[in-house]
Amino acid sequence: MNTRVVRAACPHDCPDTCAMLVTVTDGVATAVKGDPDHPNTAGVLCTKVARYLERTYHSDRLLYPMKRTGKKGEGKFERISWEEALATITTKLKTIAGRDPRAILPYSYAGTMGAVQGESMAMRFFYRLGASKLDRTICSSAGGVGIKYTLGAKMGMDTEQYEHSKLILIWGGNPIASNLHFWMKVQEAKRRGAILVAIDPYRSLTAEKCDHHIPVLPGTDAALALGMMHILIRDDLLDHDYIDRYTLGYAQLAERVSEWTPEKTAQTCGISSEQVELLANLYGTTAKRGDPVAIRVNYGAQRARGGGMAVRNIACLPALVGAWRSPAGGVLLSSGETYPKKDRQLQRPDLMPHDGKRPSRIINMSTIGDDLLQPASAAFGPAIEALIVYNSNPVAVAPESAKVARGFAREDLFTVVLEHFQTDTVDYADIVLPATTQLEHTDIHATYGHLYIVANNPAITPLGEAKPNTEIFRQLAAGMGFDDPCFSDSDDDLAAQAFDATHPHAIHFHWPRLKQDGWMKLSVPDAPFAQGGFPTPSGKCEFYSEQMKKDGLDPLPAYLPPYESPASAPELAKKYPLAMISPPQRNFLNTTFVNVKSLRDTEGEPYLEIHPEDAGARSVADGDMVRIFNDRGSMVAKAHVTPNARQGLVVALSIWWKKLATDGKNANELTSQRLTDMGRAPTFYDVLVQVEKA
Ligand code: SF4
């Protein structure tokens, strides 16, 4: 027997980007495990990826190109050859592009986080074609913009330092489910005496295990941060020296937060003023003692109307108390911009034709439901006639799902989907192309949760006739007659172009060596902002942001109530009195893994967590089937009556494949396409609903 171990990377949309070791015997992958030597992975994979072989060798894998034989949405297909598939696609795209290439739209996100199989060859193809650009906003852009206004970039604490923190605020996230290796550091900190606080409307698995849980109403995190700042200033729990040297706009900030008394904050957030006092006091006094205080803010805090401002306000806190002085103090939303990525080199926007005939067009992926139904107009441009979907499952994950499905069902829309499985989106495809999984192709990974570059070597040959995304777009480019030399770059060429080795952070980056070693850490200081040096226009942490003013935003930390709340929509709140959030199920990752039976069996069936008071008022008992509805749609789920959902809140853990859910619908039937204050992102947790017994 010929057995070898291959160095790989977990490709999924998770901040941990684990380094994996894949055992291959006689060409068959027989085991995957976390690399025990990788300081963040520490030999551990989460429950999902520990089952990666079940997914890779799943009997439902798409192994051949197919064309649609039934109605759109029915999911009936027949096998065709690659030649026929590529010819059908390129013929159609040439016809459409001849009229206006902007009628063609790519749709992709983080189905793989790899720089090669993500947006490299694919983007070259769409730029060269002159297709509409996709505004990739569906997950993180609100918080990303908010933190950039404040700190200057999506960067912050090194995850490895949290084990030395003495107080950790876990804000808007459930790391046990979706940031496991951060949670391992938190556990170590706890063993060393740290106090843990979860700030989350939902008493999640993580919140249950923290010392304190502050159950704010969804979309009110910005107000809580303002209230904390009020108390820190009132009680002089500040680092005046740090503020004087390394921040901008303290006086204006102090004036702004003066109105955010504990009482007003408590009323806005739906908590007690004692909880606001406790939180601010813990934060301020721990820092004042000289102990490191850390915040891990995650994406739950930014999925409402004021989501960008929420993250901005939270990001102001460490500078007020001088937390950045210690490597174990500060805040982290994303480490993504610590990496010197060479996106322009990989994606080649210079390939875009500039013939002066028409301006380029950007379509926001979060409003795809509306945009697929838009007719041609002077304002919108041409109607979308062709959609190429890869690394995404929009029919299940995009908001206001009924509209999305209606758009995908358009008979005059030509849809191509690159996929591993027959997802809800594949059911609407005209042509389906089988894509390789991570074990079958080359890739290179930055991450948004630690500071390593991780290599992925192919462990096995592609199953069936599956091809890497890169190869599919190379062949489509050839079919379109694009002969630019960049379409001949191999996957190794692309990986070698991913990072700037002349940048101090990646000075040791060398792809051939990385392939062998598996991973390397960026060269960055332990405490990046100990002496200021924020990559903002002023070089300081900007409590006041002139750039925000130029962008038409409030230049100071502020609070915007959710679109759907009693404060901003009292009539709607009477009709639909319960707020709904839909955070990740522990065994699913967005919609990836829902079709892996062992994982789905662990989750059982779609359920709705509802507080005993709210259930009682509706004569709903634990285990009853309930209908959750609002003006946009409805779904059916089993009621779990539990105080883990605070009163006034229901929780629909997600994201289920619609066709594997109870009534063929998931939580996105209820979400809206309204966008956040910054970053043009969706407001998945800014939703009011009513619940009744089904
Ligand atoms: S999903 Fe996250 S925790 Fe799980 S293996 Fe991948 S990177 Fe690691």
Side-chain angles (χ1 to χ4, degrees):
M1 291 210 295
N2 175 16
T3 297
R4 62 198 174 99
V5 174
V6 177
R7 290 190 172 278
C10 174
H12 293 291
D13 187 1
C14 167
D16 297 21
T17 311
C18 289
M20 304 197 300
L21 299 175
V22 185
T23 304
V24 182
T25 300
D26 292 340
V28 177
T30 54
V32 288
K33 66 172 192 172
D35 184 344
D37 297 327
H38 187 276
N40 198 65
T41 305
V44 176
L45 299 179
C46 65
T47 52
K48 302 169 280 259
V49 176
R51 314 274 173 86
Y52 213 63
L53 298 182
E54 190 180 339
R55 184 174 189 277
T56 305
Y57 292 113
H58 197 300
S59 58
D60 292 346
R61 270 289 298 276
L62 298 173
L63 298 176
Y64 310 101
M66 300 190 294
K67 71 176 179 191
R68 180 166 61 87
T69 56
K71 288 193 191 130
K72 293 211 172 192
E74 260 184 6
K76 290 187 182 159
F77 298 97
E78 70 180 26
R79 180 178 172 178
I80 56 173
S81 67
W82 270 103
E83 290 71 25
E84 181 181 347
L86 294 170
T88 306
I89 296 166
T90 51
T91 302
K92 189 79 182 174
L93 295 187
K94 280 177 187 168
T95 305
I96 297 170
R99 292 192 293 271
D100 188 337
R102 297 174 305 165
I104 302 165
L105 179 70
Y107 197 99
S108 66
Y109 200 67
T112 171
M113 297 288 293
V116 174
Q117 305 304 334
E119 307 302 345
S120 65
M121 201 56 81
M123 289 296 283
R124 291 179 181 185
F125 177 79
F126 290 111
Y127 277 128
R128 177 67 179 76
L129 184 58
S132 283
K133 298 179 201 165
L134 185 71
D135 201 4
R136 291 177 170 80
T137 59
I138 203 161
C139 180
S140 63
S141 57
V145 173
I147 211 155
K148 283 171 82 160
Y149 281 132
T150 312
L151 306 181
K154 288 193 285 182
M155 55 189 293
M157 283 181 68
D158 180 347
T159 306
E160 286 170 52
Q161 295 292 343
Y162 280 83
E163 64 188 34
H164 305 297
S165 307
K166 288 297 173 215
L167 172 72
I168 304 176
L169 310 188
I170 301 171
W171 202 321
N174 177 12
I176 292 179
S178 52
N179 192 184
L180 180 67
H181 298 80
F182 164 70
W183 180 247
M184 287 158 57
K185 304 292 179 202
V186 171
Q187 291 300 97
E188 179 57 29
K190 190 174 181 181
R191 283 191 283 275
R192 297 175 185 196
I195 293 174
L196 313 181
V197 184
I199 302 165
D200 190 330
Y202 172 50
R203 193 168 177 80
S204 66
L205 290 171
T206 301
E208 273 178 3
K209 292 180 173 53
C210 288
D211 298 285
H212 303 281
H213 173 214
I214 312 288
V216 289
L217 287 166
T220 63
D221 306 80
L224 182 59
L226 290 166
M228 285 178 71
M229 290 193 258
H230 174 99
I231 294 169
L232 294 173
I233 292 169
R234 181 197 70 190
D235 296 351
D236 194 22
L237 297 169
L238 303 171
D239 183 332
H240 291 284
D241 179 61
Y242 193 93
I243 292 169
D244 290 347
R245 289 178 190 230
Y246 307 128
T247 72
L248 184 74
Y250 172 72
Q252 294 103 310
L253 175 76
E255 192 185 337
R256 170 58 62 89
V257 302
S258 61
E259 65 173 292
W260 283 94
T261 61
E263 293 71 29
K264 175 175 170 165
T265 305
Q267 195 194 16
T268 306
C269 299
I271 54 178
S272 68
S273 52
E274 288 76 20
Q275 287 172 307
V276 184
E277 294 275 6
L278 169 90
L279 179 63
N281 192 266
L282 264 178
Y283 190 72
T285 56
T286 308
K288 200 80 174 173
R289 272 202 311 270
D291 284 337
V293 292
I295 302 173
R296 177 67 165 113
V297 57
N298 230 309
Y299 292 102
Q302 48 110 66
R303 301 214 192 286
R305 178 191 182 193
M309 193 62 94
V311 172
R312 162 162 168 69
N313 294 4
I314 293 164
C316 289
L317 289 163
L320 277 179
V321 300
W324 290 113
R325 291 185 190 275
S326 164
V331 62
L332 179 70
L333 172 74
S334 164
S335 58
E337 289 179 349
T338 318
Y339 292 82
K341 295 176 190 165
K342 286 169 66 183
D343 286 347
R344 289 185 70 80
Q345 172 82 25
L346 278 182
Q347 301 175 3
R348 299 290 308 273
D350 55 297
L351 294 170
M352 188 92 177
H354 293 289
D355 55 11
K357 279 195 212 149
R358 49 180 85 89
S360 63
R361 174 170 75 171
I362 301 181
I363 299 282
N364 188 338
M365 68 188 305
S366 301
T367 55
I368 190 68
D370 280 341
D371 291 338
L372 281 179
L373 298 172
Q374 288 254 30
S377 69
F380 183 67
I384 298 168
E385 293 183 60
L387 200 55
I388 319 290
V389 182
Y390 55 103
N391 302 337
S392 187
N393 183 11
V395 171
V397 304
E400 205 171 350
S401 199
K403 270 196 182 170
V404 180
R406 260 203 349 258
F408 270 81
R410 270 177 43 203
E411 277 305 325
D412 60 342
L413 180 73
F414 178 68
T415 303
V416 179
V417 184
L418 287 61
E419 251 303 353
H420 302 145
F421 295 103
Q422 192 170 334
T423 60
D424 291 322
T425 303
V426 167
D427 285 346
Y428 290 85
D430 293 283
I431 300 287
V432 185
L433 301 177
T436 45
T437 68
Q438 187 78 341
L439 300 196
E440 300 153 70
H441 57 224
T442 296
D443 219 324
I444 185 167
H445 290 253
T447 172
Y448 56 99
H450 56 67
L451 295 172
Y452 294 82
I453 302 175
V454 189
N456 187 72
N457 294 290
I460 57 175
T461 51
L463 301 191
E465 295 182 3
K467 293 185 193 296
N469 288 351
T470 43
E471 184 56 21
I472 295 173
F473 284 105
R474 260 182 223 112
Q475 295 191 4
L476 286 171
M480 295 296 289
F482 301 159
D483 55 4
D484 312 68
C486 68
F487 289 109
S488 303
D489 281 353
S490 68
D491 287 4
D492 278 315
D493 294 335
L494 293 166
Q497 294 165 25
F499 299 104
D500 179 3
T502 66
H503 190 284
H505 289 180
I507 203 77
H508 304 297
F509 172 61
H510 178 61
W511 172 241
R513 191 164 60 235
L514 185 72
K515 275 171 74 169
Q516 288 179 10
D517 296 348
W519 42 268
M520 60 163 275
K521 192 168 189 182
L522 298 177
S523 303
V524 288
D526 282 345
F529 306 131
Q531 277 140 15
F534 293 92
T536 52
S538 65
K540 297 181 173 187
C541 174
E542 296 200 349
F543 300 143
Y544 177 91
S545 165
E546 194 60 37
Q547 187 59 49
M548 290 182 76
K549 194 173 171 193
K550 282 187 197 148
D551 293 343
L553 296 163
D554 190 331
L556 284 166
Y559 170 65
L560 271 174
Y563 290 116
E564 301 195 2
S565 66
S568 45
E571 289 308 312
L572 190 76
K574 274 189 214 149
K575 200 169 160 196
Y576 302 118
L578 299 169
M580 187 191 85
I581 59 172
S582 47
Q585 292 267 20
R586 185 179 186 179
N587 288 288
F588 303 158
L589 205 163
N590 301 324
T591 56
T592 308
F593 300 105
V594 180
N595 65 323
V596 175
K597 189 170 181 310
S598 63
L599 294 170
R600 192 170 71 254
D601 286 349
T602 307
E603 298 296 357
E605 62 189 306
Y607 56 86
L608 185 82
E609 296 186 55
I610 182 167
H611 190 274
E613 295 286 335
D614 293 324
R618 292 162 178 78
S619 304
V620 168
D622 192 55
D624 282 349
M625 297 307 291
V626 290
R627 181 172 164 266
I628 310 112
F629 61 98
N630 61 19
D631 288 341
R632 291 178 288 269
S634 69
M635 67 175 276
V636 168
K638 183 177 271 190
H640 280 192
V641 178
T642 166
N644 288 346
R646 54 162 294 161
Q647 206 170 348
L649 174 80
V650 291
V651 181
L653 294 178
S654 291
I655 303 172
W656 281 81
W657 283 24
K658 291 162 70 162
K659 60 182 158 187
L660 296 176
T662 314
D663 63 343
K665 295 174 180 175
N666 70 14
N668 281 321
E669 299 288 330
L670 299 147
T671 54
S672 90
Q673 294 181 74
R674 293 176 97 165
L675 302 177
T676 49
D677 55 345
M678 302 173 202
R680 307 166 304 283
T683 50
F684 287 117
Y685 299 172
D686 190 336
V687 177
L688 287 176
V689 299
Q690 181 56 291
V691 172
E692 65 184 11
K693 229 166 151 164

